[in-house]
Each structure stands twice: as structure tokens, then as C-alpha cells.
Amino acid sequence: MRPFARSTLPLLLALVASAAPWSASQAADDTLQVRIGYLGYRPDTGPLLSNVIPEPADAGLRGAELAIVDSNSTGRFLKQSYSLEGVTVDNPQALLEAAQRQHAEGLRLFVINAPGSSLRELSAALPDSLLFNAGSADDDLRSTACLNNVLHTLPSRAMLADALGQFMAVRKWQRSLLIVGQTAEDQAYAAALRRALKRFGLKIVAEKPWSFDNDQRRSAQADMPLFTQTAEYDVVLVADERGDFGEYVPYQTWYPRPVAGTQGLTPVGWHKTVETYGAAQLQKRFEALAGRWMNDRDFAAWMAVRSVASAVSKLRQADATAIRHLALSDQLPLDGFKGRKLSYRPWNGQLRQPIPVVQPRALVTTSPQDGFLHPFNEMDSLGYDQAEVTCQYRAP
């Protein structure tokens, strides 16, 4: 048998060598390619009347990039490869054109960091695609004007306001002074606060519109005490999303009271001070990638890409409709480093998630608060519950 073995060995080696390139090519061809589009557009907010630190220009995009890295770290063992095709533009028309161009190239999965008006346009223009909203907190998109091909990873204003309202109820801050800025976003935030206070049995003793156009860096000490003089209150609520005046309210109020809302004690989707349940490792990976702190838009974009990756790993395919159906079921496991299993609400596509309530340098609490119960899921005590939604969101 030895002579025979020696004579056939070269032939066997030749066969193996000739088959190796074919096997490698076949393995590469078997890898599932998952392409995700990122579309970013943030409108110019105009000149500010304060020295508030602006949001980073790459907010959202960096979170999506980190999620691609995280997904590929495990995807290579499952023969899955994830790629991000990011576009950031400076006007809504360019955003729509970029979306149509990516769609023509075969993309059907998108992360959108844009205002609600642009999200509506993209939803209508890409009816066969799945869009993840990582940029608009508008409540009407979750309550009266649902978009059937959109899932929301950014918390709504109602979720944020309810998170704050629950904490106020726990602390027995019954009476509020509400100060509202001039922009449409400020009005929307104030409406969410009013809804939350009514929901939890809290009272607004006075509401004042902010109509000054002066620079508060020079006059806050003189203006704020007089402006906040009214019936006694337990807390001052501020609706100033752009940051024109809200940073100058703390420590300048007529009564020595806490300030909450868009400034002071703030409910957020994500914050640097969130560190438990493995969040510290996510924060470190993000800082190594982006060179800055992760914010709520970064986390929303990260969560969108990770939702896709979790669904693809379970389905072994990247079909947009199949991913949406799975996401709206209770069969998609999602970990967002918030101590709870996350899931999407089948009645409006909103991601259920705990909401951190923070001050600039520390986590104060996380809502839902203990004692705020719900028949099915305590996280549904934040934002619009199924009975409150009037639009028809077609769940599978």
C-alpha cells in the first residue's frame, strides 16, 4: 500500500489545491451583504442668543458607524457583512434626491436623522423600504400621523415629558412654572409637558412665553428673578430646545427652586452619565471612534443599525418587510444597555426604552419610576399608549 499512497499523494494535493480557490470564492459568495443607508439633514437653527454648546455636526452618523463595527464583529461568524452608505446634506431637496439615488442602487434599509417634515417625504418616496427615525421627536408621528414603513428609535417628546413627570410626581413637585420659547419645537415640547403634568395630576400655576430678544449672558441676573416672579411653585419647567435662554434660568429664579425640561434636570434618550448594564463599554467604544461623547441621536442611530443586525441574524435575510414584521413582533431580542429588553410598539413603531433623567454631569434617575404600572409593559407608561393613538399603523 505504501507505493500506491506515494503515487497518489501528488494527485490528491493537486486536487485540493485546485479546489481551494473555488471554496474560498464560494464562501465569499455565501456571505450575506447588508447595506444600510444613512441620510442626515439638520436645518440651520439661526443665530443663538446664548453661548450654548451646539450639537456636533456628525451627531447620529457616528452612532451608526459604531453599530456597523459592532455588527460586523459578530456578523463575520454568521457570514454576514454590514456596510453603511452615509449622506449628509444641507437642504431637504438634496436629502430626497440622495434617498432616491440610494434606492435606485438597491438600498431598502435607511437610518434617517432629519426633521419630521423630511421624514414624511422620505416615507412616501420609499414605500418599499424600512426607515428608522433617529432624528425627529415629533409626537404626531407616533399618535395622529403614523408612517407605516417607519420605526422610531429616538424617543418622542411625550416619552421624555412623561419620564420627567413621573419623577416630579415621586418627588411631590406638584406646582410648576412653565416658560415656553418662541420656536415651533419649543411649543411642541411645552405641549408634551402639559400632557404629562395632566396625566400625573400635577399643576401649572403659571405659564409665561419667553419673548425677549436680548442676550441673557449680560442680563440674566437682572431679568430672570423678575420674570419668574409669580404664584409659588415647586419647580420651573423650561421648553427651549434650541437653547436661547434656558441655560440662564437655573439659580436665577424668584423662588430658589429646581429647573427642569430642556435645561437643568433633563430627560434624554442617552447621556454620557449612563454607565450601568454594560453602557460604560459602549461609551468607551464610541469615544474611541468619534473622539467625543455619545448623545441621544448617536444612540438612536446605533440602535437602528443594531435592530437591523439582530433581525438579520434571526431571519438570515435582509428583506425590509420581513425585518419590519419581526421588529413589531415580540420575537426580536434587543439590548440597548438600559437594563431592560427593548422592543417596538406594534401600534406606532416606537422603540420602548427606559429614559434617563440627568443633570449635566450626573444621572439622577431613570424612568419609568417604581410604582407606575402598566397592564402589559411598564415602559408603555412613557409616551402614547395604544388607546391614545388615533392613526392606523398597519402592524403585521
Side-chain angles (χ1 to χ4, degrees), residues 60-203:
L61 175 60
R62 291 300 194 181
E65 290 174 347
L66 178 61
I68 291 293
V69 174
D70 292 346
S71 300
N72 279 325
S73 67
T74 55
R76 65 176 180 267
F77 299 108
L78 302 172
K79 293 188 176 181
Q80 299 165 5
S81 177
Y82 296 86
S83 61
L84 186 73
E85 301 181 26
V87 176
T88 302
V89 297
D90 58 4
N91 66 80
Q93 181 58 36
L95 187 74
L96 181 60
E97 292 172 357
Q100 292 171 333
R101 184 167 56 252
Q102 289 187 340
H103 185 270
E105 295 170 355
L107 273 71
R108 295 296 183 271
L109 300 169
F110 297 89
V111 179
I112 311 297
N113 179 11
S117 56
S118 292
L119 184 63
R120 292 185 184 90
E121 289 183 355
L122 294 175
S123 174
L126 309 172
D128 61 343
S129 301
L130 179 60
L131 283 58
F132 288 86
N133 170 27
S136 175
D138 291 356
D139 285 324
D140 60 343
L141 298 176
R142 287 91 161 167
S143 59
T144 61
C146 299
L147 305 173
N148 288 303
N149 58 341
V150 174
L151 299 175
H152 307 276
T153 53
L154 190 73
S156 66
R157 290 187 179 93
M159 291 175 67
L160 302 178
D162 285 348
L164 180 59
Q166 287 187 10
F167 181 67
M168 290 171 57
V170 168
R171 295 305 304 269
K172 301 188 185 305
W173 295 347
Q174 299 289 330
R175 302 166 297 178
S176 303
L177 165 63
L178 176 59
I179 306 175
V180 185
Q182 302 181 42
T183 69
E185 291 76 16
D186 296 341
Q187 299 295 325
Y189 195 94
L193 287 174
R194 294 187 199 101
R195 171 185 173 275
L197 297 182
K198 182 179 180 181
R199 193 178 194 188
F200 301 118
L202 308 176
K203 180 182 179 182

Side-chain angles (χ1 to χ4, degrees), residues 304-346:
V305 174
R306 293 299 294 150
S307 295
V308 170
S310 296
V312 169
S313 296
K314 192 173 183 67
L315 294 169
R316 297 294 193 267
Q317 61 168 310
D319 178 71
T321 300
I323 291 174
R324 177 184 179 272
H325 284 197
L326 179 61
L328 293 173
S329 71
D330 59 356
Q331 302 301 313
L332 180 63
L334 292 175
D335 180 16
F337 300 102
K338 289 189 171 185
R340 301 283 294 271
K341 176 186 175 182
L342 308 187
S343 60
Y344 289 92
R345 293 170 180 160

Side-chain angles (χ1 to χ4, degrees), residues 139 142-143 158 195 345 347-348 382-386 388-389:
D139 285 324
R142 287 91 161 167
S143 59
R195 171 185 173 275
R345 293 170 180 160
W347 56 85
N348 61 4
L382 304 176
Y384 282 87
D385 205 352
Q386 186 168 8
E388 300 174 287
V389 173

Side-chain angles (χ1 to χ4, degrees), residues 380-396:
D380 287 337
S381 66
L382 304 176
Y384 282 87
D385 205 352
Q386 186 168 8
E388 300 174 287
V389 173
T390 59
C391 52
Q392 296 296 316
Y393 187 78
R394 293 193 299 273

